[in-house]
Amino acid sequence: MKVLFVAAEVQPFAKTGGLADVAGTLPVALARRGLDVRIFMPKYRTVSQTVKEFATVAEGLSAPVGHEQLGGALRSTNLNGVPVYFLEHNGFFDRDGLYGHYDDLWRYTYFCRMALAFYRAIGWRPDVIHCNDWHTGLIPLYLKRDPNLADIASIYTIHNLAYPGSFEGSDLYVTGVEPDEPLYQSLKRSGSVCLSQAGITCADLVTTVSERYAQEIQTPEFGAGFDALLSRRRNDLYGVLNGIDYEQWNPRTDATLAANYSADDLSGKQVCKRALQRDNGLPECDLPVIAVVSRLAAQKGFDLIEAAAEQLFKLKLQFVLLGTGEERYHRLFRRLARRFPDATGISLGYSAAQAHRLYAGADMFLMPSRYEPCGLGQMISMAYGTIPIVRSTGGLADTVRESGPEPNGFVFRPYAPAAMIAAIRRALQAYADKRTWNRLVANAFASDFGWGRSAARYEELYELAMHKRRC
Ligand code: ADP
Ligand code: GLC
């Protein structure tokens, strides 16, 4: 089975969040199952900084965008056995940052057009194209309207509905879709052009990254205005939980840590904790350390931390945060750092190495998300024996259990500061009792979030999409 995996960010080449983790690891897991998977992504500036040597696959490619025919080239490299093709167009992609540019509609229309054109240059035709989030939303639409592509099936995976990829209606011409053609309806959304809507409407199958989120997005509360459309497509909508790569997230071998450790010998974790406290100028004592590693966005529930700050810092704990994003949260955490200097270690930036040290050195990992399609932080923290405290939503609800025979974390339900504080108090109480805590840590280590089951599920869904396409 030949699968083209198209994503706007893929680690280690370009990353803003979990989409990159998934796009950099799921294709590898699928390849290990014997599928012929290849990745297609833009050649951003960070790609050129990451890859030492590219192979040139094709030059002189071109695709229509608006009224123009734009050229481009294809470079490639290899990611753990998976070929990665980079679309090169320096005007569009050789910039700082990945998205949020004034011409994103042009850039990602071009990207989608090229996804359907480049493979001819390499003499390899996919059976399925796996699309991810709005940047790829035009691909299922183009597949649907071109009879020459009728044999290629598509799957559209929603990683985050709150980023719809909406643009001015007057820029419709960029996509090449005409207002009088039927497929225009799939793109049109109250005066705008909406790329994720096109993906959700036109793909053979739609998936999202946890079962809970697949249910939630069919409701007005979580549907971001797409709930009616998603309910209509419910027979083609599947929740497949993300996995993490245990080679990358492994305290036994992690070279970024002050010391290595495992479930059987936790002494190194204590060394990591002391190093984390030292790096953050915190007293090197036995108070529990609660960590956050996150994009700083409204989704992640930081207004609960803001509202609960006075209560939170009355508790006996240390708080360490690594994150970057919206300015208002930068301001919030700078303020908290000034107000509670002995209890906080705040780093406003992005650092993969530092993230590893937080996951390992902390005792607890806080994710009070307002909504969370899947969430990787809670799974990564468990791989490091660090206990998650999460709000019960989306993938957090599907991966963290406070009750039952094998609890692996703490869960609160109402989106309310008091509920979060109560969950943190329960965690502190458990921490104070060595036996309870050790059992939690053992359960967290034993929780398996590898790609195995989910990669098998995607393979089934690819088959199903191909079958649907044929019928
Ligand atoms: P989202 O995709 O919504 O941002 P996830 O939990 O799915 O949330 O994935 C976040 C990923 O990004 C994790 O791998 C996390 O470690 C990483 N990450 C987030 N913020 C930072 C940061 N400031 N520095 C390093 N890694 C980060
Ligand atoms: C999104 C979601 C996150 C998910 C990630 C990967 O960014 O916010 O919950 O884990 O995509 O699917």
Side-chain angles (χ1 to χ4, degrees):
M1 188 190 298
K2 298 202 284 295
V3 181
L4 180 62
F5 195 94
V6 185
E9 52 180 276
V10 180
Q11 68 150 26
F13 310 113
K15 170 164 169 172
T16 65
L19 168 58
D21 297 63
V22 171
T25 54
L26 170 59
V28 175
L30 290 165
R32 289 189 182 145
R33 295 184 61 80
L35 277 68
D36 179 358
V37 191
R38 306 190 184 194
I39 298 172
F40 182 65
M41 71 173 289
K43 183 164 166 273
Y44 304 107
R45 182 165 294 170
T46 59
V47 175
S48 312
Q49 290 158 351
T50 314
V51 179
K52 284 197 190 72
E53 217 174 317
F54 295 98
T56 293
V57 180
E59 285 178 324
L61 299 172
S62 81
V65 178
H67 306 305
E68 288 177 77
Q69 192 72 21
L70 298 181
L74 199 64
R75 317 283 175 201
S76 77
T77 189
N78 187 287
L79 178 65
N80 300 322
V82 174
V84 185
Y85 298 104
F86 300 102
L87 176 59
E88 181 179 280
H89 182 295
N90 290 341
F92 276 162
F93 301 126
D94 186 20
R95 305 179 183 177
D96 288 333
L98 307 189
Y99 356 102
H101 297 285
Y102 72 97
D103 54 353
D104 277 359
L105 180 61
W106 281 257
R107 300 167 78 223
Y108 291 100
T109 295
Y110 173 72
F111 179 54
C112 291
R113 289 280 199 191
M114 279 296 197
L116 297 175
F118 88 89
Y119 60 79
R120 282 177 216 133
I122 57 172
W124 179 89
R125 191 177 172 85
D127 300 307
V128 182
I129 302 188
H130 188 153
C131 306
N132 295 278
D133 269 357
W134 66 265
H135 328 84
T136 61
L138 286 169
I139 294 174
L141 183 152
Y142 291 145
L143 281 175
K144 221 171 183 172
R145 84 210 264 262
D146 187 344
N148 295 320
L149 302 174
D151 59 319
I152 301 179
S154 63
I155 289 202
Y156 182 82
T157 296
I158 298 166
H159 293 265
N160 196 332
L161 255 194
Y163 301 94
S166 279
F167 301 92
E168 291 285 328
S170 55
D171 287 335
L172 174 70
Y173 74 96
V174 175
T175 64
V177 175
E178 302 291 340
D180 58 356
E181 62 178 293
L183 278 174
Y184 171 50
Q185 295 308 320
S186 69
L187 200 53
K188 180 174 162 256
R189 185 175 173 75
S190 51
S192 306
V193 165
C194 179
L195 305 194
S196 60
Q197 182 179 285
I200 294 168
T201 309
C202 297
D204 295 304
L205 295 179
V206 178
T207 72
T208 187
V209 289
S210 68
E211 283 182 21
R212 177 68 68 98
Y213 193 59
Q215 297 305 318
E216 286 173 343
I217 55 180
Q218 296 179 52
T219 67
E221 189 187 349
F222 293 97
F226 295 96
D227 38 295
L229 169 61
L230 287 159
S231 299
R232 277 201 300 282
R233 293 225 61 188
R234 64 181 172 278
N235 292 335
D236 297 322
L237 173 63
Y238 296 86
V240 185
L241 191 70
N242 285 334
I244 58 168
D245 174 7
Y246 284 104
E247 282 166 34
Q248 183 192 345
W249 302 110
N250 185 347
R252 210 185 267 273
T253 53
D254 194 327
T256 60
L257 304 186
N260 290 113
Y261 62 92
S262 67
D264 308 325
D265 178 4
L266 283 164
S267 51
K269 187 165 174 65
Q270 186 65 12
V271 178
C272 292
K273 175 169 175 175
R274 290 287 177 259
L276 183 63
Q277 290 171 317
R278 204 161 40 248
D279 291 348
N280 284 280
L282 291 168
E284 292 176 44
C285 58
D286 288 333
L287 286 181
V289 175
I290 300 192
V292 170
V293 177
S294 184
R295 282 187 300 118
L296 300 184
Q299 165 192 351
K300 302 295 179 178
F302 298 121
D303 48 347
L304 293 185
I305 295 181
E306 180 167 28
E310 294 298 326
Q311 276 171 289
L312 179 64
F313 289 104
K314 273 199 196 109
L315 301 175
K316 291 192 170 6
L317 53 82
Q318 296 174 337
F319 178 83
V320 178
L321 174 137
L322 169 64
T324 180
E326 292 171 29
E327 187 47 39
R328 60 178 161 144
Y329 299 116
H330 285 227
R331 278 200 303 273
L332 163 66
F333 288 112
R334 268 191 224 113
R335 209 164 58 235
L336 293 182
R338 278 195 305 272
R339 170 94 177 80
F340 306 102
D342 296 334
T344 53
I346 304 292
S347 305
L348 298 173
Y350 185 93
S351 160
Q354 218 177 324
H356 282 248
R357 293 196 283 268
L358 262 76
Y359 286 119
D363 299 293
M364 303 162 195
F365 189 81
L366 180 62
M367 241 169 136
S369 306
R370 185 183 284 277
Y371 73 93
E372 196 61 71
C374 178
L376 301 174
Q378 82 282 15
M379 304 192 210
I380 298 170
S381 72
M382 284 190 256
Y384 285 81
T386 300
I387 301 304
I389 303 170
V390 305
R391 173 152 183 269
S392 178
T393 182
L396 299 174
D398 287 352
T399 52
V400 183
R401 313 175 286 278
E402 183 166 347
S403 51
E406 284 162 354
N408 58 8
F410 295 87
V411 182
F412 63 99
R413 203 168 287 275
Y415 189 76
M420 182 186 75
I421 291 290
I424 294 175
R425 279 183 192 280
R426 294 198 296 279
L428 297 184
Q429 221 166 26
Y431 181 80
D433 174 21
K434 266 258 161 307
R435 268 186 51 198
T436 308
W437 194 255
N438 288 344
R439 205 171 54 234
L440 273 171
V441 171
N443 290 346
F445 273 124
S447 305
D448 177 9
F449 302 110
W451 270 113
R453 209 170 343 138
S454 296
R457 186 72 181 128
Y458 276 116
E459 187 174 344
E460 283 169 12
L461 293 176
Y462 295 153
E463 299 272 7
L464 182 60
M466 284 160 62
H467 177 75
K468 283 193 65 167
R469 196 66 172 181
R470 280 194 297 267
C471 296

